[in-house]
Structures are given as C-alpha cells and as structure tokens.
Amino acid sequence: MKKDSRLSSVLHAILHMAEQDKPMTSDVLAMCMKTNPVVVRRTMGLLRNAGLVTSERGHSGGWRICADLNKVTLYDLHDALGEPSIFAIGNRHERPDCLVEQAVNAALDDAFADAQALLISRFKTVTLAKLADDFAHRHAKYRQQKE
Amino acid sequence: MKKDSRLSSVLHAILHMAEQDKPMTSDVLAMCMKTNPVVVRRTMGLLRNAGLVTSERGHSGGWRICADLNKVTLYDLHDALGEPSIFAIGNRHERPDCLVEQAVNAALDDAFADAQALLISRFKTVTLAKLADDFAHRHAKYRQQKE
DNA sequence: GCGAATCGTAACATTAATAGTTACATGAAA
DNA sequence: TTTCATGTAACTATTAATGTTACGATTCGC
C-alpha cells in the first residue's frame, strides 16, 4: 500500500502558516505541497477538529494556525490525524486458533508495541517550535552558502 | 496500505515444519495459513534463497527446515524476505527543495530510524527456538484447560 | 444585492502495494 | 509413464492512500 504522508504534509503546511500573519488559502498550501486544494482541506480539517488551526471562508479567508508552537508536538499532529497505523508489517490473522500462530503473533506484537512506544515518545519530544528553529538554522546556513 | 504479513506467515510455517520429520507440501502449508500454494512457494522460495529451508520436487517432496532453531532469529527471516519497509507512514517527498520540508523530513526520519533500530534489535533477540518454546507452553496450558 | 473568493464535502477515479489465481513447465518417485 | 510436487510467469483482486470533479455554503468588497 501507499504510505501515509499526511503527517509530513501537515507539518510542512503548519510551519509555513506559522511564518505568516495572513491566513493561507488551500490553493496556496496545495501548490506548496504539490497536491490538490481538496486534499489540503480534507487533511487540515482534521487539525481544525483538534483545535490546532482555524479556517475562514470567503474573501481573504484561509487557514491560520491557532496553537502555541512550544506546546504542540509531532504527537499532537499524529493524534489529530487519527493515529493512523504506523506499521506496514502485520500479522497474517488476528486471533488465530492455531497455537503456533498465537505464539508468533505474541512475539511480533510485543516487538512492534515497543517500537511504537518509542516512536510515540519521540514524537512527544519534538515541538513545532523546535522544527521552526531547525528550519531557521537551515535557512541561515543556506544564505551563508549563497554568499 | 495493505500490511505485509509474510513475516508472520513464514514464522508460522517454519515452526510447523520444525515439528515434522517429513517435508510439508505447499498445499498443506497453504491450508494451514489459509492461503494459496503458489503464495507459499513464492514466499518460502525467499527463505530457500537464504538457506533456511530446502525444497524437493516430486513424490514425497515438499519443504523442510534446514536451520538451527537456536541460531535463526526473527531478523534473519525479515532479512530473507528482503527487509521490506517497516513503516506505513512516510515523507511527502524525499529530497525536497523547500527548507521547511527538509527540516520536517529530518525530524521524522530521525524518529523513524530510532524506532526501526529498536525493532530490528528486538527481532535479533528472538530465536525460533524461543518461539517453539513459547508454543510448547501454550500447548501445555491448553491441554491443562481441557482437563 | 451581486459577484468573486474561499472553505466543506460527497462522489468518484487513480495509484501503489500486497495477496490471490490460473496456467503450464520441470523434475522426481512409485 | 503416471502422479505428485515445486518453479515461475502473467494476470486479477483487494485494499488503502491520494487525487479529481462538482457543487453547495459563506463571507467579503463593491
């Protein structure tokens, strides 16, 4: 299956929004992420439900961030997206009758649960402010290189 | 995305094979994992390439395990399957021009790399013998309950 | 009010990845 | 020489993400 790239998408969008005073339209965001405005609305709508952004209709409307960059983490976004399933590998059957398969599932589930816990805890340590900061550094470096 | 369930499948298969003296046919294995014999051949073929099992054609042929249960780990099987990609979540674009997106990708890549490293290291600690043992316990418990 | 800009959303199409199926060739054993 | 088995190519089906089209609902500026 295709990978879910919404987390990466909304991060990209929300950081751009954080650098703007004015709201950004779905069209502009779509251009920026090389996708379609409807996809942007669909995805950003989930962030709105989670109270992370607001949207306004009509002239000079669009999307605006309404969250503290220091408090919102990658996990909050992942959560806002509905905590989509993380792994592309899974068990052949859930709740098998076969005891062998049960033992196999248990071992795999354990390992995946640990990896998931680590990932989630990592997500919780990264704030949007941190990412904005990282971007600023990249930007400074980029400008230096251009000289 | 549909999840890749081959690791779980081959583990199931190989543990059944470990309990048999005779080779098991693709048909029997397919029945056991509720799939198609061709799928079994395709998948087990990868394990054969890795030297974990052998196959024989013709009358009384089939699949046989040829590996030390104490030495083969989940990782070896994952590896034999070609180390399929683990995550169902990924970046919108690889190598984006946008510096914001680069910062986002870097943060996500980092987190995923750590989770992957943990998973792989977990895979390396679980041998087939351990799983067979776990199965034996489940079996004993199951028989107890039936009394 | 009118018209343009903009989001909201349903319905459908496309794409990508896994899994399943059909068909037939090849080889080994009874 | 027939039967049982794997080997493999080619095609189909399934599933989930993503993209597209179409149109309704709001809001702003004139």
Side-chain angles (χ1 to χ4, degrees):
Chain A
M1 186 189 337
K2 221 180 247 183
K3 288 192 175 187
D4 182 338
S5 62
R6 291 175 305 161
L7 181 56
S8 135
S9 290
V10 296
L11 276 167
H12 185 184
I14 213 171
L15 287 178
H16 276 300
M17 285 158 56
E19 299 205 313
Q20 298 269 153
D21 269 2
K22 298 186 298 186
M24 294 181 77
T25 66
S26 304
D27 269 35
V28 169
L29 288 172
M31 218 106 68
C32 165
M33 10 231 313
K34 290 172 189 151
T35 179
N36 185 295
V38 177
V39 173
V40 171
R41 287 186 208 123
R42 192 149 68 202
T43 315
M44 296 297 287
L46 298 172
L47 301 198
R48 185 188 45 224
N49 295 345
L52 299 170
V53 302
T54 58
S55 62
E56 289 159 50
R57 302 210 243 202
H59 250 302
S60 71
W63 300 91
R64 205 191 289 267
I65 189 172
C66 70
D68 182 344
L69 295 189
N70 282 294
K71 288 190 180 147
V72 176
T73 66
L74 299 195
Y75 174 72
D76 295 317
L77 294 177
H78 175 65
D79 184 48
L81 295 175
E83 307 211 43
S85 97
I86 291 173
F87 299 107
I89 294 180
N91 294 331
R92 186 78 176 79
H93 311 106
E94 301 304 329
R95 299 194 195 51
D97 290 334
C98 173
L99 291 176
V100 170
E101 197 167 2
Q102 285 179 18
V104 168
N105 279 8
L108 289 175
D109 287 348
D110 252 35
F112 282 111
D114 283 2
Q116 170 155 350
L118 176 64
L119 188 70
I120 295 295
S121 82
R122 284 290 307 258
F123 277 1
K124 286 184 177 167
T125 67
V126 182
T127 62
L128 294 181
K130 210 172 197 170
L131 289 181
D133 212 53
D134 183 15
F135 159 65
H137 281 109
R138 284 168 195 269
H139 193 52
K141 198 168 165 186
Y142 174 75
R143 288 173 69 155
Q144 228 172 27
Q145 282 181 349
K146 263 183 56 180
E147 274 166 22
Chain B
M1 190 191 317
K2 215 182 249 181
K3 290 192 173 187
D4 182 338
S5 61
R6 291 176 304 161
L7 180 56
S8 136
S9 289
V10 297
L11 276 167
H12 185 185
I14 213 171
L15 287 177
H16 275 299
M17 284 158 57
E19 299 206 314
Q20 296 269 153
D21 268 2
K22 299 186 297 186
M24 294 181 76
T25 67
S26 304
D27 270 33
V28 169
L29 288 172
M31 218 107 67
C32 165
M33 13 233 309
K34 291 173 186 150
T35 179
N36 185 295
V38 177
V39 172
V40 172
R41 287 185 207 123
R42 192 150 66 201
T43 314
M44 297 298 287
L46 298 172
L47 301 198
R48 183 187 48 223
N49 295 347
L52 299 170
V53 302
T54 58
S55 62
E56 288 159 51
R57 301 210 244 200
H59 252 301
S60 73
W63 300 90
R64 204 191 290 266
I65 190 172
C66 70
D68 182 344
L69 294 189
N70 282 295
K71 288 192 181 148
V72 175
T73 66
L74 299 194
Y75 174 73
D76 295 316
L77 293 178
H78 175 65
D79 184 48
L81 294 175
E83 306 209 45
S85 97
I86 290 172
F87 299 108
I89 295 180
N91 294 332
R92 185 78 177 75
H93 311 105
E94 301 303 329
R95 298 193 196 53
D97 290 333
C98 173
L99 292 175
V100 170
E101 198 168 2
Q102 285 178 20
V104 168
N105 279 8
L108 290 175
D109 287 349
D110 253 36
F112 282 111
D114 283 2
Q116 170 156 349
L118 176 65
L119 188 69
I120 295 295
S121 81
R122 284 289 308 257
F123 278 1
K124 286 183 177 167
T125 67
V126 181
T127 61
L128 294 182
K130 209 171 197 170
L131 289 182
D133 212 53
D134 184 16
F135 159 65
H137 281 108
R138 284 168 194 269
H139 193 52
K141 199 167 167 188
Y142 174 73
R143 289 174 67 156
Q144 228 172 26
Q145 281 179 351
K146 263 182 56 179
E147 274 167 24

mmCIF file of all heavy atoms in Angstrom, chain B residues 91-130:
data_model
loop_
_atom_site.group_PDB
_atom_site.id
_atom_site.type_symbol
_atom_site.label_atom_id
_atom_site.label_comp_id
_atom_site.label_asym_id
_atom_site.label_seq_id
_atom_site.Cartn_x
_atom_site.Cartn_y
_atom_site.Cartn_z
ATOM 1 N N ASN B 91 7.462 10.272 4.324
ATOM 2 C CA ASN B 91 7.539 11.676 3.935
ATOM 3 C C ASN B 91 6.774 11.942 2.648
ATOM 4 O O ASN B 91 6.682 11.087 1.784
ATOM 5 C CB ASN B 91 8.990 12.093 3.739
ATOM 6 C CG ASN B 91 9.765 12.056 5.044
ATOM 7 O OD1 ASN B 91 9.190 12.237 6.111
ATOM 8 N ND2 ASN B 91 11.056 11.799 4.963
ATOM 9 N N ARG B 92 6.281 13.176 2.552
ATOM 10 C CA ARG B 92 5.545 13.566 1.345
ATOM 11 C C ARG B 92 6.455 13.509 0.137
ATOM 12 O O ARG B 92 6.101 12.957 -0.889
ATOM 13 C CB ARG B 92 5.003 14.993 1.547
ATOM 14 C CG ARG B 92 4.125 15.494 0.460
ATOM 15 C CD ARG B 92 2.749 14.901 0.603
ATOM 16 N NE ARG B 92 1.842 15.422 -0.416
ATOM 17 C CZ ARG B 92 1.844 15.064 -1.685
ATOM 18 N NH1 ARG B 92 2.690 14.155 -2.104
ATOM 19 N NH2 ARG B 92 0.997 15.581 -2.533
ATOM 20 N N HIS B 93 7.641 14.091 0.252
ATOM 21 C CA HIS B 93 8.632 13.999 -0.814
ATOM 22 C C HIS B 93 9.985 13.664 -0.198
ATOM 23 O O HIS B 93 10.289 14.118 0.890
ATOM 24 C CB HIS B 93 8.796 15.343 -1.543
ATOM 25 C CG HIS B 93 7.521 15.987 -1.970
ATOM 26 N ND1 HIS B 93 6.973 17.074 -1.324
ATOM 27 C CD2 HIS B 93 6.666 15.689 -2.976
ATOM 28 C CE1 HIS B 93 5.836 17.420 -1.934
ATOM 29 N NE2 HIS B 93 5.626 16.594 -2.924
ATOM 30 N N GLU B 94 10.752 12.879 -0.904
ATOM 31 C CA GLU B 94 12.145 12.704 -0.498
ATOM 32 C C GLU B 94 12.916 13.843 -1.184
ATOM 33 O O GLU B 94 12.515 14.323 -2.224
ATOM 34 C CB GLU B 94 12.669 11.345 -0.957
ATOM 35 C CG GLU B 94 11.870 10.163 -0.399
ATOM 36 C CD GLU B 94 11.819 10.139 1.138
ATOM 37 O OE1 GLU B 94 12.790 10.591 1.771
ATOM 38 O OE2 GLU B 94 10.796 9.698 1.676
ATOM 39 N N ARG B 95 13.970 14.286 -0.596
ATOM 40 C CA ARG B 95 14.806 15.364 -1.172
ATOM 41 C C ARG B 95 14.017 16.572 -1.671
ATOM 42 O O ARG B 95 14.089 16.924 -2.853
ATOM 43 C CB ARG B 95 15.633 14.832 -2.342
ATOM 44 C CG ARG B 95 16.615 13.746 -1.949
ATOM 45 C CD ARG B 95 17.619 13.456 -3.017
ATOM 46 N NE ARG B 95 18.275 12.185 -2.769
ATOM 47 C CZ ARG B 95 17.624 11.024 -2.568
ATOM 48 N NH1 ARG B 95 16.300 11.019 -2.605
ATOM 49 N NH2 ARG B 95 18.293 9.922 -2.330
ATOM 50 N N PRO B 96 13.240 17.198 -0.791
ATOM 51 C CA PRO B 96 12.515 18.397 -1.205
ATOM 52 C C PRO B 96 13.456 19.586 -1.310
ATOM 53 O O PRO B 96 14.502 19.630 -0.651
ATOM 54 C CB PRO B 96 11.527 18.602 -0.054
ATOM 55 C CG PRO B 96 12.192 17.988 1.128
ATOM 56 C CD PRO B 96 13.019 16.852 0.622
ATOM 57 N N ASP B 97 13.079 20.543 -2.136
ATOM 58 C CA ASP B 97 13.858 21.779 -2.229
ATOM 59 C C ASP B 97 13.560 22.679 -1.033
ATOM 60 O O ASP B 97 14.426 23.380 -0.534
ATOM 61 C CB ASP B 97 13.499 22.533 -3.518
ATOM 62 C CG ASP B 97 14.023 21.802 -4.739
ATOM 63 O OD1 ASP B 97 15.029 21.070 -4.599
ATOM 64 O OD2 ASP B 97 13.428 21.947 -5.820
ATOM 65 N N CYS B 98 12.312 22.659 -0.618
ATOM 66 C CA CYS B 98 11.864 23.554 0.447
ATOM 67 C C CYS B 98 12.583 23.254 1.759
ATOM 68 O O CYS B 98 12.581 22.120 2.249
ATOM 69 C CB CYS B 98 10.361 23.375 0.634
ATOM 70 S SG CYS B 98 9.706 24.262 2.045
ATOM 71 N N LEU B 99 13.186 24.274 2.355
ATOM 72 C CA LEU B 99 13.957 24.072 3.580
ATOM 73 C C LEU B 99 13.075 23.695 4.757
ATOM 74 O O LEU B 99 13.501 22.969 5.655
ATOM 75 C CB LEU B 99 14.755 25.339 3.914
ATOM 76 C CG LEU B 99 15.898 25.676 2.953
ATOM 77 C CD1 LEU B 99 16.532 27.013 3.334
ATOM 78 C CD2 LEU B 99 16.947 24.585 2.960
ATOM 79 N N VAL B 100 11.854 24.198 4.756
ATOM 80 C CA VAL B 100 10.925 23.806 5.811
ATOM 81 C C VAL B 100 10.676 22.303 5.736
ATOM 82 O O VAL B 100 10.761 21.587 6.740
ATOM 83 C CB VAL B 100 9.579 24.559 5.672
ATOM 84 C CG1 VAL B 100 8.546 23.961 6.613
ATOM 85 C CG2 VAL B 100 9.760 26.040 5.946
ATOM 86 N N GLU B 101 10.419 21.852 4.540
ATOM 87 C CA GLU B 101 10.151 20.427 4.374
ATOM 88 C C GLU B 101 11.385 19.598 4.716
ATOM 89 O O GLU B 101 11.270 18.496 5.255
ATOM 90 C CB GLU B 101 9.697 20.161 2.935
ATOM 91 C CG GLU B 101 8.988 18.823 2.792
ATOM 92 C CD GLU B 101 8.279 18.677 1.450
ATOM 93 O OE1 GLU B 101 8.365 19.600 0.609
ATOM 94 O OE2 GLU B 101 7.645 17.631 1.249
ATOM 95 N N GLN B 102 12.542 20.122 4.427
ATOM 96 C CA GLN B 102 13.760 19.397 4.785
ATOM 97 C C GLN B 102 13.870 19.228 6.298
ATOM 98 O O GLN B 102 14.246 18.161 6.787
ATOM 99 C CB GLN B 102 14.994 20.133 4.256
ATOM 100 C CG GLN B 102 15.192 19.994 2.752
ATOM 101 C CD GLN B 102 16.390 20.769 2.241
ATOM 102 O OE1 GLN B 102 17.285 21.116 3.011
ATOM 103 N NE2 GLN B 102 16.408 21.047 0.946
ATOM 104 N N ALA B 103 13.523 20.285 7.018
ATOM 105 C CA ALA B 103 13.590 20.207 8.478
ATOM 106 C C ALA B 103 12.575 19.186 9.000
ATOM 107 O O ALA B 103 12.878 18.399 9.906
ATOM 108 C CB ALA B 103 13.328 21.584 9.084
ATOM 109 N N VAL B 104 11.396 19.204 8.413
ATOM 110 C CA VAL B 104 10.359 18.253 8.803
ATOM 111 C C VAL B 104 10.815 16.822 8.533
ATOM 112 O O VAL B 104 10.751 15.950 9.408
ATOM 113 C CB VAL B 104 9.050 18.539 8.027
ATOM 114 C CG1 VAL B 104 8.066 17.398 8.181
ATOM 115 C CG2 VAL B 104 8.438 19.855 8.484
ATOM 116 N N ASN B 105 11.299 16.595 7.323
ATOM 117 C CA ASN B 105 11.762 15.254 6.965
ATOM 118 C C ASN B 105 12.852 14.772 7.911
ATOM 119 O O ASN B 105 12.845 13.613 8.333
ATOM 120 C CB ASN B 105 12.317 15.252 5.542
ATOM 121 C CG ASN B 105 11.229 15.171 4.489
ATOM 122 O OD1 ASN B 105 10.052 15.263 4.810
ATOM 123 N ND2 ASN B 105 11.619 15.021 3.238
ATOM 124 N N ALA B 106 13.770 15.666 8.226
ATOM 125 C CA ALA B 106 14.891 15.271 9.078
ATOM 126 C C ALA B 106 14.384 14.801 10.437
ATOM 127 O O ALA B 106 14.821 13.773 10.954
ATOM 128 C CB ALA B 106 15.865 16.428 9.231
ATOM 129 N N ALA B 107 13.437 15.547 10.989
ATOM 130 C CA ALA B 107 12.911 15.181 12.305
ATOM 131 C C ALA B 107 12.190 13.836 12.246
ATOM 132 O O ALA B 107 12.385 12.971 13.106
ATOM 133 C CB ALA B 107 11.965 16.268 12.812
ATOM 134 N N LEU B 108 11.371 13.667 11.215
ATOM 135 C CA LEU B 108 10.633 12.406 11.101
ATOM 136 C C LEU B 108 11.580 11.241 10.831
ATOM 137 O O LEU B 108 11.473 10.184 11.466
ATOM 138 C CB LEU B 108 9.586 12.512 9.981
ATOM 139 C CG LEU B 108 8.401 13.435 10.281
ATOM 140 C CD1 LEU B 108 7.484 13.564 9.070
ATOM 141 C CD2 LEU B 108 7.599 12.918 11.473
ATOM 142 N N ASP B 109 12.516 11.448 9.924
ATOM 143 C CA ASP B 109 13.455 10.375 9.601
ATOM 144 C C ASP B 109 14.194 9.906 10.844
ATOM 145 O O ASP B 109 14.393 8.711 11.050
ATOM 146 C CB ASP B 109 14.474 10.865 8.556
ATOM 147 C CG ASP B 109 13.845 10.992 7.176
ATOM 148 O OD1 ASP B 109 12.717 10.504 6.996
ATOM 149 O OD2 ASP B 109 14.479 11.589 6.285
ATOM 150 N N ASP B 110 14.609 10.861 11.647
ATOM 151 C CA ASP B 110 15.302 10.547 12.890
ATOM 152 C C ASP B 110 14.471 9.646 13.785
ATOM 153 O O ASP B 110 14.936 8.616 14.266
ATOM 154 C CB ASP B 110 15.539 11.853 13.651
ATOM 155 C CG ASP B 110 16.983 12.255 13.615
ATOM 156 O OD1 ASP B 110 17.617 12.016 12.565
ATOM 157 O OD2 ASP B 110 17.464 12.805 14.621
ATOM 158 N N ALA B 111 13.241 10.065 14.000
ATOM 159 C CA ALA B 111 12.373 9.305 14.898
ATOM 160 C C ALA B 111 12.134 7.902 14.346
ATOM 161 O O ALA B 111 12.225 6.908 15.075
ATOM 162 C CB ALA B 111 11.047 10.038 15.080
ATOM 163 N N PHE B 112 11.872 7.826 13.055
ATOM 164 C CA PHE B 112 11.605 6.510 12.464
ATOM 165 C C PHE B 112 12.847 5.633 12.484
ATOM 166 O O PHE B 112 12.754 4.426 12.705
ATOM 167 C CB PHE B 112 11.069 6.659 11.043
ATOM 168 C CG PHE B 112 9.617 7.046 10.996
ATOM 169 C CD1 PHE B 112 9.203 8.290 10.555
ATOM 170 C CD2 PHE B 112 8.645 6.142 11.420
ATOM 171 C CE1 PHE B 112 7.860 8.644 10.532
ATOM 172 C CE2 PHE B 112 7.297 6.485 11.402
ATOM 173 C CZ PHE B 112 6.906 7.738 10.955
ATOM 174 N N ALA B 113 13.996 6.251 12.274
ATOM 175 C CA ALA B 113 15.230 5.464 12.294
ATOM 176 C C ALA B 113 15.437 4.834 13.667
ATOM 177 O O ALA B 113 15.832 3.669 13.782
ATOM 178 C CB ALA B 113 16.423 6.343 11.923
ATOM 179 N N ASP B 114 15.151 5.601 14.713
ATOM 180 C CA ASP B 114 15.316 5.064 16.066
ATOM 181 C C ASP B 114 14.345 3.915 16.316
ATOM 182 O O ASP B 114 14.712 2.890 16.891
ATOM 183 C CB ASP B 114 15.063 6.166 17.101
ATOM 184 C CG ASP B 114 16.246 7.104 17.212
ATOM 185 O OD1 ASP B 114 17.220 6.910 16.456
ATOM 186 O OD2 ASP B 114 16.205 8.023 18.046
ATOM 187 N N ALA B 115 13.111 4.111 15.902
ATOM 188 C CA ALA B 115 12.113 3.064 16.114
ATOM 189 C C ALA B 115 12.497 1.809 15.339
ATOM 190 O O ALA B 115 12.371 0.689 15.833
ATOM 191 C CB ALA B 115 10.728 3.556 15.689
ATOM 192 N N GLN B 116 12.990 2.018 14.129
ATOM 193 C CA GLN B 116 13.392 0.869 13.318
ATOM 194 C C GLN B 116 14.558 0.130 13.963
ATOM 195 O O GLN B 116 14.570 -1.099 14.017
ATOM 196 C CB GLN B 116 13.786 1.344 11.912
ATOM 197 C CG GLN B 116 14.442 0.243 11.096
ATOM 198 C CD GLN B 116 14.306 0.470 9.601
ATOM 199 O OE1 GLN B 116 13.560 1.328 9.152
ATOM 200 N NE2 GLN B 116 15.020 -0.322 8.831
ATOM 201 N N ALA B 117 15.509 0.894 14.473
ATOM 202 C CA ALA B 117 16.668 0.268 15.111
ATOM 203 C C ALA B 117 16.224 -0.579 16.300
ATOM 204 O O ALA B 117 16.711 -1.690 16.500
ATOM 205 C CB ALA B 117 17.662 1.332 15.555
ATOM 206 N N LEU B 118 15.269 -0.040 17.062
ATOM 207 C CA LEU B 118 14.778 -0.802 18.206
ATOM 208 C C LEU B 118 14.100 -2.091 17.743
ATOM 209 O O LEU B 118 14.343 -3.168 18.277
ATOM 210 C CB LEU B 118 13.785 0.035 19.025
ATOM 211 C CG LEU B 118 13.137 -0.712 20.185
ATOM 212 C CD1 LEU B 118 14.190 -1.100 21.220
ATOM 213 C CD2 LEU B 118 12.043 0.111 20.844
ATOM 214 N N LEU B 119 13.264 -1.964 16.726
ATOM 215 C CA LEU B 119 12.544 -3.138 16.240
ATOM 216 C C LEU B 119 13.512 -4.210 15.756
ATOM 217 O O LEU B 119 13.395 -5.384 16.117
ATOM 218 C CB LEU B 119 11.605 -2.736 15.103
ATOM 219 C CG LEU B 119 10.659 -3.844 14.646
ATOM 220 C CD1 LEU B 119 9.626 -4.146 15.711
ATOM 221 C CD2 LEU B 119 9.981 -3.471 13.334
ATOM 222 N N ILE B 120 14.478 -3.781 14.974
ATOM 223 C CA ILE B 120 15.448 -4.739 14.438
ATOM 224 C C ILE B 120 16.220 -5.410 15.569
ATOM 225 O O ILE B 120 16.441 -6.621 15.557
ATOM 226 C CB ILE B 120 16.437 -4.031 13.477
ATOM 227 C CG1 ILE B 120 15.688 -3.501 12.248
ATOM 228 C CG2 ILE B 120 17.558 -4.959 13.065
ATOM 229 C CD1 ILE B 120 15.080 -4.548 11.373
ATOM 230 N N SER B 121 16.598 -4.628 16.564
ATOM 231 C CA SER B 121 17.365 -5.233 17.653
ATOM 232 C C SER B 121 16.486 -6.211 18.429
ATOM 233 O O SER B 121 16.953 -7.240 18.903
ATOM 234 C CB SER B 121 17.972 -4.160 18.553
ATOM 235 O OG SER B 121 17.012 -3.689 19.469
ATOM 236 N N ARG B 122 15.200 -5.892 18.532
ATOM 237 C CA ARG B 122 14.275 -6.844 19.163
ATOM 238 C C ARG B 122 14.170 -8.117 18.332
ATOM 239 O O ARG B 122 14.173 -9.230 18.862
ATOM 240 C CB ARG B 122 12.883 -6.210 19.301
ATOM 241 C CG ARG B 122 12.755 -5.194 20.419
ATOM 242 C CD ARG B 122 12.797 -5.879 21.773
ATOM 243 N NE ARG B 122 11.862 -6.960 21.860
ATOM 244 C CZ ARG B 122 10.704 -6.918 22.495
ATOM 245 N NH1 ARG B 122 10.357 -5.830 23.122
ATOM 246 N NH2 ARG B 122 9.907 -7.962 22.514
ATOM 247 N N PHE B 123 14.054 -7.943 17.031
ATOM 248 C CA PHE B 123 13.975 -9.103 16.141
ATOM 249 C C PHE B 123 15.188 -10.014 16.322
ATOM 250 O O PHE B 123 15.072 -11.230 16.256
ATOM 251 C CB PHE B 123 13.918 -8.652 14.685
ATOM 252 C CG PHE B 123 12.553 -8.250 14.206
ATOM 253 C CD1 PHE B 123 11.445 -8.285 15.057
ATOM 254 C CD2 PHE B 123 12.348 -7.838 12.895
ATOM 255 C CE1 PHE B 123 10.178 -7.910 14.607
ATOM 256 C CE2 PHE B 123 11.087 -7.468 12.439
ATOM 257 C CZ PHE B 123 10.009 -7.511 13.291
ATOM 258 N N LYS B 124 16.327 -9.407 16.555
ATOM 259 C CA LYS B 124 17.551 -10.204 16.663
ATOM 260 C C LYS B 124 17.619 -11.006 17.953
ATOM 261 O O LYS B 124 18.400 -11.947 18.052
ATOM 262 C CB LYS B 124 18.776 -9.292 16.546
ATOM 263 C CG LYS B 124 19.014 -8.820 15.123
ATOM 264 C CD LYS B 124 20.272 -7.978 14.989
ATOM 265 C CE LYS B 124 20.483 -7.590 13.522
ATOM 266 N NZ LYS B 124 21.503 -6.537 13.349
ATOM 267 N N THR B 125 16.828 -10.608 18.931
ATOM 268 C CA THR B 125 16.893 -11.338 20.207
ATOM 269 C C THR B 125 15.938 -12.514 20.263
ATOM 270 O O THR B 125 16.001 -13.311 21.197
ATOM 271 C CB THR B 125 16.559 -10.415 21.398
ATOM 272 O OG1 THR B 125 15.182 -10.032 21.305
ATOM 273 C CG2 THR B 125 17.428 -9.170 21.407
ATOM 274 N N VAL B 126 15.047 -12.615 19.294
ATOM 275 C CA VAL B 126 14.054 -13.698 19.352
ATOM 276 C C VAL B 126 14.415 -14.807 18.378
ATOM 277 O O VAL B 126 14.365 -14.629 17.163
ATOM 278 C CB VAL B 126 12.639 -13.165 19.031
ATOM 279 C CG1 VAL B 126 11.624 -14.300 19.127
ATOM 280 C CG2 VAL B 126 12.269 -12.021 19.960
ATOM 281 N N THR B 127 14.786 -15.951 18.921
ATOM 282 C CA THR B 127 15.122 -17.097 18.072
ATOM 283 C C THR B 127 13.889 -17.948 17.822
ATOM 284 O O THR B 127 12.899 -17.866 18.552
ATOM 285 C CB THR B 127 16.170 -17.998 18.743
ATOM 286 O OG1 THR B 127 15.599 -18.489 19.968
ATOM 287 C CG2 THR B 127 17.443 -17.234 19.046
ATOM 288 N N LEU B 128 13.974 -18.773 16.805
ATOM 289 C CA LEU B 128 12.887 -19.705 16.525
ATOM 290 C C LEU B 128 12.700 -20.663 17.695
ATOM 291 O O LEU B 128 11.573 -21.043 18.020
ATOM 292 C CB LEU B 128 13.184 -20.482 15.243
ATOM 293 C CG LEU B 128 13.217 -19.647 13.962
ATOM 294 C CD1 LEU B 128 13.477 -20.544 12.753
ATOM 295 C CD2 LEU B 128 11.916 -18.881 13.779
ATOM 296 N N ALA B 129 13.803 -21.018 18.323
ATOM 297 C CA ALA B 129 13.722 -21.932 19.466
ATOM 298 C C ALA B 129 12.861 -21.320 20.567
ATOM 299 O O ALA B 129 12.057 -21.998 21.209
ATOM 300 C CB ALA B 129 15.125 -22.233 19.991
ATOM 301 N N LYS B 130 13.025 -20.025 20.768
ATOM 302 C CA LYS B 130 12.256 -19.318 21.783
ATOM 303 C C LYS B 130 10.766 -19.396 21.448
ATOM 304 O O LYS B 130 9.929 -19.632 22.323
ATOM 305 C CB LYS B 130 12.704 -17.862 21.804
ATOM 306 C CG LYS B 130 12.579 -17.168 23.144
ATOM 307 C CD LYS B 130 13.279 -15.814 23.041
ATOM 308 C CE LYS B 130 13.605 -15.188 24.367
ATOM 309 N NZ LYS B 130 14.491 -14.006 24.151
#
